[in-house]
Amino acid sequence: MTTWLAWGFFTAVAAATGTGVALWTACGLGFQLAVDSFVVTDTVLSLTLASCGVAVAWRRPHNPIGWLLLGGGAAHAGTVMALGFLALGLREGWSGTTLRVLVTLALAAWPLGLRLFVPLALLLFPTGALPSPRWRPVAWGTAGIGGLFWLWSVTTPRPYALGGPPGYLHVLSWPPLEPFRPQTDLLGIFVPLLIDLAALVVRYRWGDEALRRQVLWLMLAVLCAVPWWPLGMRAEALQVLITAQPIAIAVAILCPQLLDIQWVVSRALLYLALSLGVLGVYTSVVLFLDHVLRETFHIGGAALVAVAVAIAFHPVRGALQHGIDRLLYGDRGDPVRALTRIGARLTAETGLDGLLLTVRDALRLPYAAFCLEGRPVAASGTPPPGCVRVPLPAPGTRRAELVVGTRPGQARLGAEDLRALRVLVVPLGVAVRATVLSEELQSSRERLVSAREEERRRLRRDLHDGLGPTLTGLAFTADAARNLVRSDPDTAEELLAQLRGHASGAIDEIRRLVEGLRPPALDELGLVAALARQAERLSHRVGGAPLAITVDAPDRIPRLPAAVEVAAYRIATEALTNAARHSRADHALVRLRIDSADDDADDDDADDALRIEVTDNGGPSARPWQPGVGMSTMAERAAELAGWCRCRPGPEGGEVSAVLPLRSGGTSAAPYGRGP
């Protein structure tokens, strides 16, 4: 319904404008008279406002801006049609009353569009609502100023250039102000315009990236009209220039990404400022020299002034360009300033989100994100269709990237943006690395605390449910034997025999608990021999073919830290247990090697490490392995020591590889198979 209403409104405006133009043409009046009578101006304004208004109202029916523009088009169309009938009435000799009514209608219609509807549309741009309730006085002030200038327009005693009597409301005019009517008419156009321009500057200052680009479209249109006012341009020409505003409103609301508006506005501001500056300086210097050196100043002096202004043009242009680019593009031309802002964010410990917000503010970008292995870990803004990926110094072995979105209207980032990003990636990479390591450390601490509490819970359960009842039974049996030792020696002897069996069970339970904490075989035999004993136990499958297990280790190994010994033993034992239970292999190999830092002298961060490899010949797997509790436990044991563990199917069978750093180990050699 609203769509048909908008198109019906537009049709009525076009019909009224066409009627007025047709009547004017039929009366044989010339183009210059149409310009002097503002017929051309009102025609252009009515069609432009109506066209832009119907486009906005059709696509955004709930946005009042489209309807305000349609209302402005209808107001100017009313003036065009009234002037057309006025021309016809003058030719046909209509009565003076009728002619005065037509003049009054013509004078009363157009100010509603240019001095009320359009300023209100600018104030509500682009959302159709005021930014906050505090803006209501501004809206009422804009409407009040529009009403005053409407009253000023309809009270003019001057008839139109085509002839006819003055309007009925000319009696309300104030004669002392009449000599200043042309200047006041210009004020009526530009005072509401400047108020709205100030409101747009405030919206730009506090708006997001999308709102800023919409506002830039309208600022560009305002720049087309405001600078010409001091140069004495005629009011009708200025009104035609104002048609750029409804066009900019429609483009900004419906397709703000049509062009790189930041680049267009920056160049427009630059050359406008340069033009006005050069003109002002040249005029001032020439007038000053003409006044001071009236007798000797001539055309040669004016030429010298022009040369001096031209010489000063280039440095002034560079300074202006730098300031405008910084306003619209941020610190992309000054990466050192951007680095300073990032350093301040790092000092404030705002996290990755704060860093991304700083990058966006520094370069005026709509979107920025950090990705690890292609997965976003932090993001700021809304991702646009086009994004650029810049590699970061990788945290560890993982691929890290800074993803930034291109500005609306840009197909890709410019060379200056890429240069600034290349400067920023180094501290950003360090920040990402530090943050990721901090998160991994926190996660590792949480896993350690969780594992410790689980171990304590297991020990408590085992002691309470296993060893506790056994020791309690020992105490009761000992009391019973003591009570019967004189009265019933035979029964006491039987109880003592039971006591011996219970004690053996308690000893076995204690050994089991000790085995869970740290295998005694590591202290008794050392890592290699303990693995050989465990391999002997696992080689005898229940109900299956035997599994031959070979342990390959150096004759002498360095002294190993206790934590490394336990982790290596548990990882190798779990891998062999999985091979014995879940594979068809008949042979498995456990290989232990010491990777020395001396083997890679170029790597300053290298450390001695114990490498464990467990392989079997169970054949290739038809599908990928699904991580279970055992595989997760092996990976966690390696990660606790800053190492790694990988489990995967190989071409011949299962493969388990682990590397455990020996940062806390000694360098002295120990006998084969013996630990500390």
Side-chain angles (χ1 to χ4, degrees), residues 238-504:
L238 285 173
Q239 291 179 14
V240 172
L241 285 177
I242 290 176
T243 57
Q245 296 176 27
I247 296 174
I249 289 175
V251 172
I253 293 177
L254 301 179
C255 48
Q257 300 183 5
L258 182 62
L259 294 174
D260 182 5
I261 188 60
Q262 286 185 322
W263 184 88
V264 175
V265 171
S266 68
R267 294 305 181 270
L269 283 174
L270 172 65
Y271 290 110
L272 177 63
L274 285 176
S275 301
L276 294 178
V278 169
L279 180 61
V281 170
Y282 179 79
T283 303
S284 301
V285 172
V286 170
L287 291 177
F288 174 77
L289 293 178
D290 182 63
H291 178 73
V292 175
L293 306 174
R294 183 176 300 274
E295 301 297 331
T296 59
F297 187 73
H298 48 79
I299 189 64
L304 290 176
V305 172
V307 171
V309 172
I311 293 174
F313 176 85
H314 183 71
V316 172
R317 176 188 177 279
L320 284 174
Q321 183 70 71
H322 178 74
I324 294 172
D325 284 349
R326 184 172 173 182
L327 175 66
L328 298 177
Y329 293 101
D331 299 322
R332 73 174 188 178
D334 188 3
V336 175
R337 179 180 174 86
L339 283 174
T340 303
R341 298 177 65 177
I342 289 177
R345 284 283 186 175
L346 289 174
T347 304
E349 297 182 357
T350 56
L352 296 181
D353 292 338
L355 284 178
L356 291 173
L357 183 59
T358 303
V359 172
R360 290 183 54 209
D361 290 343
L363 301 181
R364 301 292 190 269
L365 296 173
Y367 174 75
F370 290 124
C371 291
L372 287 179
E373 299 295 342
R375 179 178 60 86
V377 295
S380 176
T382 303
C387 289
V388 177
R389 295 180 177 270
V390 182
L392 294 174
T397 58
R398 290 187 285 180
R399 177 172 54 89
E401 295 174 318
L402 171 65
V403 181
V404 295
T406 57
R407 303 178 185 90
Q410 284 184 321
R412 58 184 181 273
L413 293 180
E416 293 186 11
D417 294 312
L418 295 178
R419 281 195 297 269
L421 288 174
R422 282 194 290 269
V423 173
L424 298 179
V425 292
V426 176
L428 290 176
V430 173
V432 172
R433 179 185 178 88
T435 303
V436 170
L437 291 178
S438 175
E439 293 175 354
E440 290 180 348
L441 177 60
Q442 181 63 28
S443 178
S444 177
R445 288 175 176 173
E446 293 174 357
R447 289 197 302 270
L448 286 175
V449 171
S450 178
R452 183 186 64 189
E453 295 303 319
E454 288 295 330
E455 188 69 14
R456 288 177 175 178
R457 183 182 301 174
R458 184 186 67 82
L459 285 174
R460 177 184 178 279
R461 183 176 61 249
D462 291 345
L463 291 173
H464 181 273
D465 299 341
L467 190 58
T470 301
L471 295 177
T472 302
L474 286 174
F476 288 161
T477 303
D479 290 341
R482 184 183 62 181
N483 294 333
L484 296 174
V485 69
R486 294 181 180 179
S487 61
D488 192 353
D490 294 337
T491 304
E493 187 176 353
E494 292 179 1
L495 291 175
L496 290 174
Q498 293 179 10
L499 183 64
R500 179 70 178 82
H502 291 164
S504 299

Side-chain angles (χ1 to χ4, degrees), residues 23 500 573 590 617 644 648:
L23 290 174
R500 179 70 178 82
T573 301
V590 180
N617 61 350
W644 53 266
R648 58 186 180 274

Side-chain angles (χ1 to χ4, degrees), residues 580-620:
R581 290 179 179 176
H582 306 300
S583 74
R584 301 185 302 273
D586 57 12
H587 182 265
L589 173 64
V590 180
R591 180 180 290 110
L592 301 179
R593 291 288 182 269
I594 300 297
D595 292 340
S596 175
D598 296 336
D599 297 338
D600 190 0
D602 295 333
D603 189 355
D604 296 335
D605 296 330
D607 293 293
D608 292 347
L610 174 64
R611 181 179 295 272
I612 306 111
E613 294 180 358
V614 181
T615 59
D616 63 67
N617 61 350

